[in-house]
Amino acid sequence: MGIPIYPVHLEDPQLQGFYDGLAAGELRITADPGTGAWVWYPPEVVPGKPDTVLEWRTVSPEGSAYTFTTIVRSLLPGDHKAEVPFTVVLFESDETPGCRVPGVLVNADGVEPACGMRLRLKPVQAGDHIIAGFEPA
């Protein structure tokens, strides 16, 4: 399986904590500091709480695949034939039910992806940046 190589928009400070976590080998999700409620995908403004500043918290790297799809033809601009096929998964950490983080399935040669399969975080280098990778647990 391949790994998609595309530029991550790190100039968006809204996601910087997520990518900083991946670089440290951690999965980080935003939470409301007042209630502890997980908030994923981090919005610019928390609905009903415009003054709330979400905080990044490290969560369990263990969880399961909520769903997946295998990409066999890249629709990215340019030549990406060497990067396909790859499988995109929506990962749900055991600690954050309902927060589904997109990533790619890695180190799964010979393993058929399935909804509910147990996975663990395995950040991967994709060109000059790191993306969320998840491997069979």
Side-chain angles (χ1 to χ4, degrees), residues 8-19 41-44 56:
V8 174
H9 299 288
L10 292 177
E11 67 276 0
D12 183 353
Q14 208 170 323
L15 291 174
Q16 190 64 52
F18 176 73
Y19 289 105
Y41 185 87
E44 287 183 33
W56 289 97

Side-chain angles (χ1 to χ4, degrees), residues 26-38:
E26 300 174 345
L27 181 59
R28 295 181 186 167
I29 304 288
T30 50
D32 180 321
T35 66
W38 300 108

Side-chain angles (χ1 to χ4, degrees), residues 11 17 36 38 40 60 78 82 88 96-97 101 117 120 127-128 134-135:
E11 67 276 0
W38 300 108
W40 186 257
S60 172
V88 176
T96 59
V101 178
M117 77 184 292
R120 82 172 56 86
D128 61 355
F134 300 98
E135 64 184 358

Side-chain angles (χ1 to χ4, degrees), residues 33-131:
T35 66
W38 300 108
V39 181
W40 186 257
Y41 185 87
E44 287 183 33
V45 176
V46 178
K49 296 181 164 188
D51 296 329
T52 297
V53 177
L54 298 175
E55 63 184 21
W56 289 97
R57 295 183 181 173
T58 301
V59 300
S60 172
E62 302 278 334
S64 59
Y66 177 77
T67 192
F68 68 93
T69 189
T70 299
I71 308 301
V72 295
R73 186 181 75 169
S74 177
L75 297 176
L76 295 172
D79 182 15
H80 294 274
K81 291 177 186 159
E83 300 162 20
V84 292
F86 60 88
T87 298
V88 176
V89 298
L90 281 182
F91 172 84
E92 192 170 288
S93 169
D94 291 338
E95 285 184 35
T96 59
C99 297
R100 298 177 185 131
V101 178
V104 293
L105 185 64
V106 296
N107 301 334
D109 294 335
V111 176
E112 283 294 317
C115 293
M117 77 184 292
R118 296 295 299 163
L119 300 170
R120 82 172 56 86
L121 177 70
K122 178 70 173 169
V124 293
Q125 193 72 36
D128 61 355
H129 56 277
I130 296 173
I131 62 173

